[in-house]
PDB file of all heavy atoms in Angstrom:
ATOM      1  N   SER K  56      -1.674 -13.029 -10.358  1.00  0.00           N
ATOM      2  CA  SER K  56      -0.287 -13.481 -10.391  1.00  0.00           C
ATOM      3  C   SER K  56      -0.141 -14.819 -11.083  1.00  0.00           C
ATOM      4  O   SER K  56      -1.100 -15.589 -11.205  1.00  0.00           O
ATOM      5  CB  SER K  56       0.257 -13.608  -8.952  1.00  0.00           C
ATOM      6  OG  SER K  56       0.150 -12.394  -8.237  1.00  0.00           O
ATOM      7  N   GLU K  61       2.873 -25.791  -6.953  1.00  0.00           N
ATOM      8  CA  GLU K  61       2.952 -26.339  -5.598  1.00  0.00           C
ATOM      9  C   GLU K  61       2.469 -25.347  -4.536  1.00  0.00           C
ATOM     10  O   GLU K  61       2.260 -25.720  -3.377  1.00  0.00           O
ATOM     11  CB  GLU K  61       4.374 -26.804  -5.268  1.00  0.00           C
ATOM     12  CG  GLU K  61       5.452 -25.751  -5.390  1.00  0.00           C
ATOM     13  CD  GLU K  61       6.138 -25.754  -6.750  1.00  0.00           C
ATOM     14  OE1 GLU K  61       5.498 -26.177  -7.740  1.00  0.00           O
ATOM     15  OE2 GLU K  61       7.308 -25.342  -6.803  1.00  0.00           O
ATOM     16  N   ARG K  74     -15.291 -18.249  -0.588  1.00  0.00           N
ATOM     17  CA  ARG K  74     -16.553 -19.005  -0.626  1.00  0.00           C
ATOM     18  C   ARG K  74     -17.452 -18.648   0.549  1.00  0.00           C
ATOM     19  O   ARG K  74     -18.680 -18.708   0.448  1.00  0.00           O
ATOM     20  CB  ARG K  74     -16.261 -20.515  -0.624  1.00  0.00           C
ATOM     21  CG  ARG K  74     -15.916 -21.076  -1.992  1.00  0.00           C
ATOM     22  CD  ARG K  74     -15.943 -22.591  -1.984  1.00  0.00           C
ATOM     23  NE  ARG K  74     -14.853 -23.149  -1.210  1.00  0.00           N
ATOM     24  CZ  ARG K  74     -13.641 -23.431  -1.699  1.00  0.00           C
ATOM     25  NH1 ARG K  74     -13.371 -23.212  -2.976  1.00  0.00           N
ATOM     26  NH2 ARG K  74     -12.704 -23.942  -0.930  1.00  0.00           N
ATOM     27  N   ALA K  95     -23.721 -21.310  -9.434  1.00  0.00           N
ATOM     28  CA  ALA K  95     -23.844 -22.742  -9.706  1.00  0.00           C
ATOM     29  C   ALA K  95     -24.143 -22.983 -11.180  1.00  0.00           C
ATOM     30  O   ALA K  95     -23.603 -23.921 -11.796  1.00  0.00           O
ATOM     31  CB  ALA K  95     -24.941 -23.350  -8.830  1.00  0.00           C
ATOM     32  N   PRO K 160      -2.660 -30.973 -12.292  1.00  0.00           N
ATOM     33  CA  PRO K 160      -2.225 -32.364 -12.164  1.00  0.00           C
ATOM     34  C   PRO K 160      -2.867 -33.024 -10.946  1.00  0.00           C
ATOM     35  O   PRO K 160      -3.182 -32.362  -9.948  1.00  0.00           O
ATOM     36  CB  PRO K 160      -0.710 -32.242 -11.983  1.00  0.00           C
ATOM     37  CG  PRO K 160      -0.350 -30.895 -12.489  1.00  0.00           C
ATOM     38  CD  PRO K 160      -1.532 -30.025 -12.239  1.00  0.00           C
ATOM     39  N   ARG K 192       5.466  -4.934   7.057  1.00  0.00           N
ATOM     40  CA  ARG K 192       4.526  -4.494   6.023  1.00  0.00           C
ATOM     41  C   ARG K 192       4.875  -5.086   4.662  1.00  0.00           C
ATOM     42  O   ARG K 192       4.007  -5.520   3.899  1.00  0.00           O
ATOM     43  CB  ARG K 192       4.542  -2.966   5.923  1.00  0.00           C
ATOM     44  CG  ARG K 192       3.552  -2.392   4.914  1.00  0.00           C
ATOM     45  CD  ARG K 192       3.800  -0.921   4.622  1.00  0.00           C
ATOM     46  NE  ARG K 192       5.079  -0.728   3.954  1.00  0.00           N
ATOM     47  CZ  ARG K 192       6.110  -0.073   4.469  1.00  0.00           C
ATOM     48  NH1 ARG K 192       6.019   0.461   5.675  1.00  0.00           N
ATOM     49  NH2 ARG K 192       7.242   0.067   3.811  1.00  0.00           N
ATOM     50  N   PHE K 198       2.253 -11.372  -0.504  1.00  0.00           N
ATOM     51  CA  PHE K 198       1.098 -12.197  -0.871  1.00  0.00           C
ATOM     52  C   PHE K 198      -0.211 -11.572  -0.410  1.00  0.00           C
ATOM     53  O   PHE K 198      -1.228 -12.263  -0.300  1.00  0.00           O
ATOM     54  CB  PHE K 198       1.241 -13.612  -0.289  1.00  0.00           C
ATOM     55  CG  PHE K 198       2.237 -14.473  -1.025  1.00  0.00           C
ATOM     56  CD1 PHE K 198       3.552 -14.574  -0.598  1.00  0.00           C
ATOM     57  CD2 PHE K 198       1.852 -15.187  -2.161  1.00  0.00           C
ATOM     58  CE1 PHE K 198       4.467 -15.369  -1.273  1.00  0.00           C
ATOM     59  CE2 PHE K 198       2.756 -15.985  -2.845  1.00  0.00           C
ATOM     60  CZ  PHE K 198       4.070 -16.075  -2.405  1.00  0.00           C
ATOM     61  N   GLY K 266      16.393   4.880  -2.467  1.00  0.00           N
ATOM     62  CA  GLY K 266      16.240   6.316  -2.677  1.00  0.00           C
ATOM     63  C   GLY K 266      15.566   6.607  -3.997  1.00  0.00           C
ATOM     64  O   GLY K 266      15.845   7.619  -4.647  1.00  0.00           O
ATOM     65  N   ILE K 313      11.372   6.712 -25.528  1.00  0.00           N
ATOM     66  CA  ILE K 313      10.769   8.021 -25.764  1.00  0.00           C
ATOM     67  C   ILE K 313      11.432   9.086 -24.899  1.00  0.00           C
ATOM     68  O   ILE K 313      11.618  10.225 -25.324  1.00  0.00           O
ATOM     69  CB  ILE K 313       9.257   7.940 -25.493  1.00  0.00           C
ATOM     70  CG1 ILE K 313       8.618   6.936 -26.472  1.00  0.00           C
ATOM     71  CG2 ILE K 313       8.585   9.302 -25.605  1.00  0.00           C
ATOM     72  CD1 ILE K 313       7.209   6.519 -26.099  1.00  0.00           C
ATOM     73  N   HIS K 335      19.397  -2.527 -26.496  1.00  0.00           N
ATOM     74  CA  HIS K 335      19.593  -3.339 -27.696  1.00  0.00           C
ATOM     75  C   HIS K 335      19.311  -4.815 -27.409  1.00  0.00           C
ATOM     76  O   HIS K 335      18.766  -5.521 -28.268  1.00  0.00           O
ATOM     77  CB  HIS K 335      21.011  -3.137 -28.251  1.00  0.00           C
ATOM     78  CG  HIS K 335      21.151  -1.872 -29.052  1.00  0.00           C
ATOM     79  ND1 HIS K 335      20.774  -1.779 -30.378  1.00  0.00           N
ATOM     80  CD2 HIS K 335      21.588  -0.634 -28.698  1.00  0.00           C
ATOM     81  CE1 HIS K 335      20.994  -0.554 -30.819  1.00  0.00           C
ATOM     82  NE2 HIS K 335      21.479   0.169 -29.822  1.00  0.00           N
TER      83      HIS K 335
END
Side-chain angles (χ1 to χ4, degrees):
S56 303
E61 57 266 27
R74 278 193 291 272
R192 182 192 66 245
F198 285 95
I313 298 166
H335 280 278

